[in-house]
Amino acid sequence: MADVTPSPSSDQFEGLGEGLSGTPVISPADIVDQKIAERSLLRALGDVPDALERFRVTPGDVVMVRQGAVGRIALVTERSRGWLYHFACMRIRPRHELVEPGYLAAYLSHPKVLDQLLARANVGTVVTVTAHTVEDLPVAVPPLAEQRLLAGALAEVDTQMDNHRQSLARLQALRPALITHLLGGEVPGERLPIPTAPPGTERRTARGPRPRKLS
């Protein structure tokens, strides 16, 4: 149904850093809400060793965190073609004639499936799952046509969720901005006041109401 490729060796990632113009590397922190972060947020390798070439991802691949935040999943899109995945991750490459990538990613991210995965994990200082563990995980496989319908419906739900997150982020930014605007652009205490008149003779400024102590 899918080919599971274990993580590359950590020794191959010497030189991994931020702000490089090389090949982006998908690490666990770059997978949020089942999506891969923007390229500008990822660390990169300036020179890719030959040993890492087989660990590049293509659209339709599923990247799963195998160490630490086990089970965190993202579906690779065209935007991430050719990127590498971190040694704390593994790659699941669906066989498209058997399973729809979007369906498989959604199935593997289901809470009850994640519970099964964690129940099979190696629990130590850091929770870890192996490629063999993932290969042995049972997967419900409806007909391809049904998988595609479900994947399309879930993609629409994801789009709506993204829209709501963006709206919420705008509202969260607007709330303090309204208060700052009401106070004339400056919050009391933001700058230490310089006394210019005897106590009790302060006047309300044009920039905002005269501040008072809370108690």
Side-chain angles (χ1 to χ4, degrees), residues 58-81:
T58 61
D61 287 349
V62 176
V63 177
M64 174 186 285
V65 176
R66 69 166 193 87
Q67 189 178 72
V70 168
R72 190 179 291 180
I73 283 173
L75 181 66
V76 177
T77 63
E78 184 63 39
R79 175 172 61 85
S80 305
R81 179 187 291 274

Side-chain angles (χ1 to χ4, degrees), residues 10-208:
S10 59
D11 297 339
Q12 301 295 327
F13 289 89
E14 291 185 8
L16 180 64
E18 298 179 357
L20 300 179
S21 59
T23 302
V25 176
I26 305 164
S27 65
D30 302 320
I31 297 175
V32 180
D33 296 328
Q34 299 177 32
K35 292 181 177 61
I36 299 170
E38 296 293 331
R39 177 176 184 140
S40 60
L41 301 176
L42 272 64
R43 292 179 295 169
L45 276 177
D47 295 312
V48 178
D50 291 342
L52 284 181
E53 287 297 333
R54 74 185 189 94
F55 296 102
R56 293 184 182 273
V57 298
T58 61
D61 287 349
V62 176
V63 177
M64 174 186 285
V65 176
R66 69 166 193 87
Q67 189 178 72
V70 168
R72 190 179 291 180
I73 283 173
L75 181 66
V76 177
T77 63
E78 184 63 39
R79 175 172 61 85
S80 305
R81 179 187 291 274
W83 294 3
L84 296 166
Y85 59 95
H86 192 265
F87 55 83
C89 302
M90 68 176 70
R91 183 186 67 204
I92 303 170
R93 180 162 287 170
R95 298 172 188 168
H96 292 210
E97 70 276 12
L98 299 176
V99 63
E100 172 68 23
Y103 167 79
L104 183 60
Y107 181 88
L108 293 175
S109 63
H110 192 285
K112 291 186 177 181
V113 177
L114 290 177
D115 286 345
Q116 292 184 44
L117 185 65
L118 290 172
R120 299 161 185 249
N122 300 321
V123 180
T125 305
V126 179
V127 180
T128 306
V129 295
T130 64
H132 182 67
T133 300
V134 175
E135 288 172 339
D136 284 349
L137 195 67
V139 177
V141 187
L144 265 176
E146 293 181 18
Q147 293 180 42
R148 289 169 180 150
L149 283 173
L150 180 57
L154 291 173
E156 179 59 30
V157 171
D158 288 342
T159 298
Q160 294 298 324
M161 290 174 64
D162 287 341
N163 291 339
H164 283 295
R165 289 191 191 101
Q166 292 171 11
S167 297
L168 179 59
R170 286 193 292 268
L171 290 173
Q172 288 174 330
L174 177 62
R175 193 173 189 275
L178 287 174
I179 298 174
T180 303
H181 178 72
L182 174 65
L183 298 176
E186 185 173 313
V187 176
E190 185 177 21
R191 298 179 182 175
L192 293 176
I194 301 175
T196 57
T201 62
E202 300 93 340
R203 292 182 301 171
R204 175 171 172 168
T205 67
R207 292 186 297 177

